[in-house]
Amino acid sequence: MSTFLLEIVTPDRLVYSEQVNSVTVRGVEGELGILPGHIPFVTPLQVAPLFVKVGNERTPFAVQGGFVEVRKDKVVILAESAERAGEIDLERAEAAKERAETRLNVRGRQDEIDHRRAELALQRAMNRINISDGNGR
């Protein structure tokens, strides 16, 4: 079975660097499955799960935006943050979700920027929670 090098990089660290069979990401235009020999491209990523497949094992990561760059023999994920399920602090993610939901429910003086920031915070928290509980929806 063919493989390619996948690197997941954040501003803080190299999160992952292994030979993989495939990676599935959610770009701005939808879900993308990347296999060896894929045509080169670059696209922004959504706040969404990323799935790495090596053999029969599928490993999810909570990716918080960034870009995917597909090269001839290598794929690089440049993410704002990326965490495996075991690295996620579920209590912190649940608290962030509750704070974001509270901000979203408060109407009135709240301006659009605060509302959008709360929506993004909620997306990030839900992404972490989904990966942490093993569902990776």
Side-chain angles (χ1 to χ4, degrees):
M1 192 177 246
S2 295
T3 63
F4 59 89
L5 178 62
L6 171 65
E7 290 182 346
I8 302 174
V9 183
T10 69
D12 300 330
R13 65 190 174 113
L14 176 64
V15 175
Y16 187 87
S17 180
E18 299 288 335
Q19 291 290 321
V20 304
N21 299 108
S22 70
V23 63
T24 304
V25 299
R26 191 170 312 150
V28 293
E29 296 195 19
E31 193 163 284
L32 302 163
I34 302 165
L35 298 169
H38 198 290
I39 188 167
F41 71 91
V42 175
T43 192
L45 294 174
Q46 291 185 22
V47 173
L50 172 147
F51 298 97
V52 175
K53 189 167 182 188
V54 178
N56 291 328
E57 188 175 326
R58 186 173 171 231
T59 305
F61 289 81
V63 174
Q64 315 301 346
F67 292 87
V68 59
E69 177 187 11
V70 178
R71 301 179 191 170
K72 183 178 178 183
D73 57 350
K74 178 179 181 179
V75 173
V76 179
I77 306 291
L78 301 169
E80 293 174 28
S81 71
E83 303 159 288
R84 291 182 201 225
E87 299 171 335
I88 294 170
D89 182 339
L90 186 56
E91 284 183 27
R92 184 173 174 225
E94 291 281 1
K97 175 185 174 231
E98 289 175 22
R99 283 191 310 273
E101 287 175 335
T102 300
R103 284 187 303 228
L104 287 171
N105 289 329
V106 175
R107 307 246 188 239
R109 300 185 328 239
Q110 186 173 341
D111 64 12
E112 287 183 36
I113 294 172
D114 285 342
H115 189 76
R116 182 64 184 144
R117 285 174 42 193
E119 286 176 335
L120 291 172
L122 180 59
Q123 286 178 2
R124 289 190 300 269
M126 291 303 300
N127 189 29
R128 285 184 173 108
I129 291 166
N130 289 339
I131 292 299
S132 180
D133 71 13
N135 290 332
R137 293 177 209 143

